[in-house]
Amino acid sequence: MQVLVINSGSSSLKYQVRDTEAGAVLLEGLIERIGQAETALPDSGQRGAGVPDHAAALELVSAALGEIRIEAVGHRVVHGGERFSEPVLIDNEITRAIERLNPLAPLHNPANVLGIRAIAAKWPELPQVVVFDTAFHRSLPEYAWRYAIPEELYQRHGIRRYGFHGTSHEFVSRQAAEFLGIPSGDFDGVIAHLGNGASITAIKAGRSLDTSMGFTPLEGLVMGTRSGDLDPSILVFLGREGYSPEQIDTLLNRESGLLALAGNNDMRSVVEAAGRGERAAELALAVTSYRLAKYIGAYHVAVEGMKALVFTAGIGENSAEFRALVVDRLTALGIELDQAANVIRAKTARLISTEHSAIPVLVVPTDEERAIAEATASLVAAGA
Ligand code: AMP
């Protein structure tokens, strides 16, 4: 089936056309500056024409498609709340349900809905499917998703841990199980998805048991520009010092993480700077790898002994240096890195631990678009 995969952000629209039988990418692209009719182009004094809205962005996608015939559309939707534990075929009721979740993901869900409505208006006959970033984590037990705060906050505001990156964690855990030659339902392991956003998931019998992102994608690991875990009293303190909620939000989501520690949110640059002996970059790597190693230890306990540790996403797949820094902190678990295997670059699943390692360490490339395309194709085929 030829599936158009849409990742619709507030000011951008990423798309890919996948042929799910051939496993091929037929087309991909990114439309930026949506809703900014005329904006200054970065790094130049010129003014560039933006795209007025998501409908206009879709016209550009349509033009790019040329002769390619689309049979279904799959959307990445960030927040599925407590309702959605699986991908679903879209109808009006589902679209409204996603809209009702807007308060939980104010930057993302409204943009996703704009994308869904734009497609429905342009191609009303095309089946559309949504795949939720939170869905895989619906299996978390209550002791993992409850915060120790008054229940009223959960009942009235839905404040609980949801977890994100679920599509990637599920896809990678299945790929890892296949690599290890076991059924995906038997997989007990820990997946570290390390990209600009980063999260780690404890997987027990193929299901998500715990994950580091919580109510929002801010909790957990140190990320490119996000702080990850911190003492919540810091927010209260800043509020009393006169910082507004918007300023605190910007500080923690856009100005923290690697950027705050090393002055750069790109892991490549941070590794290079540390290689030149720059202390801020060395500290950034130490803080980031230490935080991750602590989570790996915790999740090893959570799953009662992981059978595999898996690295994925931009940093996890590409940064041998960062993987080595993390694994060096795991000697207490009997984990031993194969230095030669670790530096081999490849686009396929591979083992990077030695034969003596108590737990195998893998690198498994993620492919969220493929996962969304396959989920879409199978739902549409089942409904046909
Ligand atoms: P993602 O969000 O999955 O695209 O990952 C983005 C992150 O991956 C950025 O921090 C990049 O610096 C990092 N990354 C990509 N390639 C490399 C590489 N070769 N070495 C280190 N980090 C990399």
Side-chain angles (χ1 to χ4, degrees):
M1 191 176 291
Q2 297 198 163
V3 180
L4 172 62
V5 178
I6 298 273
N7 188 346
S8 172
S10 54
S11 67
S12 69
L13 192 151
K14 239 168 96 179
Y15 64 93
Q16 222 183 56
V17 180
R18 309 280 299 217
D19 181 326
T20 55
E21 280 100 32
V25 179
L26 305 181
L27 180 73
E28 61 187 324
L30 170 67
I31 295 160
E32 291 178 289
R33 303 201 307 278
I34 299 174
Q36 303 162 28
E38 225 195 323
T39 45
L41 290 172
D43 305 326
S44 81
Q46 294 174 350
R47 299 190 73 75
V51 184
D53 54 27
H54 283 74
L58 202 56
E59 290 303 325
L60 297 176
V61 177
S62 172
L65 285 173
E67 296 295 298
I68 299 174
R69 203 173 61 85
I70 301 298
E71 297 164 87
V73 181
H75 293 266
R76 175 186 185 203
V77 171
V78 167
H79 219 304
E82 291 201 308
R83 169 163 170 185
F84 297 105
S85 56
E86 284 182 339
V88 286
L89 266 169
I90 296 178
D91 58 21
N92 287 336
E93 192 276 320
I94 296 284
T95 310
R96 283 195 299 273
I98 297 169
E99 230 167 8
R100 280 198 294 277
L101 295 166
N102 282 354
L104 293 178
L107 290 181
H108 295 103
N109 274 34
N112 297 150
V113 170
L114 286 174
I116 291 166
R117 294 226 162 99
I119 301 255
K122 179 155 182 65
W123 294 304
E125 73 291 353
L126 270 190
Q128 298 193 63
V129 167
V130 276
V131 178
F132 298 94
D133 242 25
T134 48
F136 182 55
H137 303 302
R138 285 291 288 116
S139 53
L140 256 60
E142 189 168 2
Y143 61 77
W145 63 251
R146 277 294 284 268
Y147 289 116
I149 54 176
E151 184 170 3
E152 190 200 353
L153 297 176
Y154 165 57
Q155 297 294 352
R156 277 186 56 190
H157 301 293
I159 297 178
R160 51 159 286 176
R161 314 187 64 256
Y162 292 97
F164 299 87
H165 288 149
T167 308
S168 174
H169 285 295
E170 181 174 22
F171 177 81
V172 169
S173 72
R174 290 189 177 161
Q175 297 289 116
E178 193 179 314
F179 181 86
L180 296 168
I182 57 172
S184 57
D186 288 351
F187 182 76
D188 296 341
V190 173
I191 314 267
H193 174 113
L194 311 175
N196 267 321
S199 67
I200 175 165
T201 293
I203 308 226
K204 181 82 180 167
R207 289 155 64 92
S208 175
L209 175 76
D210 202 353
T211 192
S212 59
M213 285 178 168
F215 179 59
T216 73
L218 181 56
E219 192 178 342
L221 304 174
V222 178
M223 309 180 214
T225 62
R226 289 175 234 166
S227 63
D229 296 334
L230 37 77
D231 180 346
S233 292
I234 296 169
L235 283 64
V236 180
F237 175 84
L238 291 175
R240 290 192 182 127
E241 289 291 306
Y243 288 77
S244 70
E246 287 68 32
Q247 283 173 316
I248 297 174
D249 188 53
T250 302
L251 271 175
L252 300 182
N253 279 296
R254 300 188 191 279
E255 297 170 3
S256 293
L258 284 180
L259 180 62
L261 292 167
N264 197 310
N265 67 338
D266 189 296
M267 183 56 91
R268 268 166 299 208
S269 309
V270 178
V271 167
E272 281 164 20
R276 293 191 299 270
E278 288 182 24
R279 195 185 121 64
E282 286 170 353
L283 179 66
L285 293 179
V287 172
T288 308
S289 60
Y290 175 67
R291 175 90 57 93
L292 176 56
K294 283 204 294 187
Y295 263 100
I296 293 169
Y299 285 0
H300 179 56
V301 172
V303 302
E304 298 166 277
M306 61 179 159
K307 308 282 180 2
L309 169 64
V310 185
F311 287 96
T312 192
I315 297 167
E317 291 168 33
N318 297 302
S319 184
E321 295 89 347
F322 188 72
R323 289 193 301 257
L325 285 174
V326 175
V327 175
D328 279 351
R329 296 184 187 275
L330 302 175
T331 48
L333 301 182
I335 293 183
E336 202 178 277
L337 193 67
D338 181 333
Q339 305 290 347
N342 186 39
V343 297
I344 294 171
R345 302 186 70 86
K347 291 244 169 282
T348 50
R350 58 200 186 274
L351 185 72
I352 58 165
S353 52
T354 69
E355 59 188 68
H356 306 297
S357 183
I359 298 162
V361 182
L362 315 181
V363 175
V364 175
T366 191
D367 191 342
E368 287 167 278
E369 283 78 14
R370 176 177 156 195
I372 293 169
E374 288 177 357
T376 301
S378 76
L379 256 187
V380 169

